[in-house]
Every structure is written in structure tokens, then in C-alpha cells.
Amino acid sequence: MLMEAIQESLGIIEGKETEGKDNILRELEDGSQMMVINFYPPCPQPDLTLGMPPHSDYGFLTLLLQDQVEGLQVHFQDQWLTVQPINNAFVVNVGDHLEIYSNGKYKSVLHRVMANSKKNRTSVASLHSLPFNCTVRPSPKLIDQHNPKRYADTNFDTFLAYVTTREPKRKDFLDSRKLTSVCVEEKEIK
Ligand SMILES: O=C(O)CCC(=O)C(=O)O
Ligand SMILES: [Fe+2]
């Protein structure tokens, strides 16, 4: 439902029944889901640490349920903005796969969690993407002469190989998938 609205916003008209190998609505039906439960104990000196360092999420969309203790911050226009908890509401975060699929039209959100000096904080994050054996690539419907492909194809193996060789930081996995303008030009010439 969310993804259908996102596709519509991108101008992609595609139902689950539409033929073609890149039908992500169909692939998402049997997609992957990773559920992460985070518990942040109180920290006596919150200014010396973070609950969770800045990162962007693996996957298309993350549905996040946070309790009433604030802590989540998103990076927007060079500032960290606190996401105020709303009772019984999900925060929906754009993940790296949606940035790749939309060829950069949607940006995955850089976020972090602050430590709290007095209260425990709990959150439940549900990360949704294609099945682990599927390739995530910019939608062919968004690529043409004026809009070259901006990201390399990726899959779960590529991601695992990346995170097992280095400490994940900020949006560096996504940065590793970006095609530089030189690559884009070379591909266009070929
Ligand atoms: O605890 C939060 O609010 C965010 C957790 C998070 O970013 C994650 O699990 O990826
Ligand atoms: Fe996250």
C-alpha cells in the first residue's frame, strides 16, 4: 500500500499483475523483513555518547515504533532534528534500497539516537525489502537519456560483504553503490 503510493509519486504505473521481471510490488509480497528491538538504558553522561550512531537503514522502508521517550533524530539541512514520539504511530523511514530503486529521487534518511540521562527507551524497527536473493536496481522506468542510472545493482551478498569488512558508518554502503559521473558517462558512451 505504501509502496504503491510511492510508485505513483514516481510516475510508475504497475500493478502486482503487471508482467516484467522488475515488478517490485510482486517481489515485495514475499519480501524480507528484519525486526530489530532496541533497548537504551539511561546514561549518566548522555553528552559523551550516543544511543545509536548515525546510519541509514538497509531496505526500502523501515516502520519504527518508538515509546514516549524521545531520542531519535534525523539529519535534515545540516541539522539534527528530534522526531517527537506520537502515541500509537509509526515513523516511516526511507531506506537505502528505495533511494537506489528511485534512482535518487527518494533519499534514504540519515538518523541517530541520543542517550537519555534518566529514562530507559525502547523501540521496535521493522525493515522491509525484497527477498534476500533478489537484486535491487534503479527502476528501468526512471532511466533514460536525461536521467542516467546513478546506482550500481546491489543484493544481500554485496551488503554482507561490505559490512563484514568494515564498520558501517553514516551512509557509506549507499555511497559505495553510487556511480560517479565518470562511470555514468562511460556507460552512456558504450
Ligand atoms: O531507536 C530508534 O528510534 C531508531 C532505531 C534504528 O534506527 C534502527 O534500529 O535502525
Ligand atoms: Fe535505523
Side-chain angles (χ1 to χ4, degrees), residues 2 4-5 7 26-27 49 52 54-55 82 99 120 126 128 137 143 170 189:
L2 268 176
E4 281 175 60
Q7 280 196 318
R26 207 166 41 228
E27 287 178 329
T49 189
M52 194 180 280
H55 66 282
T82 299
E99 180 164 336
N120 288 330
S126 179
H128 298 264
R137 57 172 67 87
I143 296 168
R170 300 181 77 89
I189 292 163

Side-chain angles (χ1 to χ4, degrees), residues 35-40 51-53 55-58 62 64-67 69-73 83 91 93 111-114 121-127:
M35 195 157 241
V36 185
I37 301 179
N38 304 293
F39 177 74
Y40 308 89
M52 194 180 280
H55 66 282
S56 57
D57 290 345
Y58 174 88
T62 301
L64 180 84
L65 197 58
Q66 47 173 349
D67 63 14
V69 181
E70 63 181 45
L72 175 64
Q73 294 189 323
V83 180
V91 176
N93 278 337
H111 54 288
R112 68 179 187 183
V113 180
M114 304 301 281
R121 179 172 183 276
T122 307
S123 70
V124 182
S126 179
L127 288 74

Side-chain angles (χ1 to χ4, degrees), residues 2-3 6 14 17 23 49 52 55 59-60 76 80 85 88 103 109 119 127 136 146 148-149 152-153 179 185 190:
L2 268 176
M3 273 311 295
I6 287 170
E14 180 176 81
E17 57 298 325
N23 186 321
T49 189
M52 194 180 280
H55 66 282
F60 273 79
F76 181 66
W80 287 105
N88 296 326
N103 203 28
V109 64
K119 294 183 188 157
L127 288 74
V136 180
H146 307 291
K149 181 173 167 173
D153 296 359
L179 298 169
E185 277 159 23
K190 273 181 202 159

Side-chain angles (χ1 to χ4, degrees), residues 8-27:
E8 201 177 320
S9 75
L10 290 167
I12 298 176
I13 314 293
E14 180 176 81
K16 286 182 194 124
E17 57 298 325
T18 312
E19 291 302 317
K21 69 177 175 59
D22 283 309
N23 186 321
I24 60 147
L25 288 183
R26 207 166 41 228
E27 287 178 329

Side-chain angles (χ1 to χ4, degrees), residues 67-97:
D67 63 14
Q68 289 305 300
V69 181
E70 63 181 45
L72 175 64
Q73 294 189 323
V74 294
H75 199 244
F76 181 66
Q77 295 181 341
D78 284 333
Q79 285 185 54
W80 287 105
L81 306 177
T82 299
V83 180
Q84 294 299 334
I86 302 174
N87 215 1
N88 296 326
F90 287 111
V91 176
V92 180
N93 278 337
V94 171
D96 290 349
H97 289 174

Side-chain angles (χ1 to χ4, degrees), residues 56 93-96 98-100 102-110 150-151 171 174 178:
S56 57
N93 278 337
V94 171
D96 290 349
L98 182 49
E99 180 164 336
I100 294 173
S102 68
N103 203 28
K105 289 213 161 80
Y106 277 84
K107 300 283 181 223
S108 75
V109 64
L110 186 66
R150 300 195 183 284
Y151 301 82
K171 289 172 63 165
L174 188 66
K178 279 188 182 154

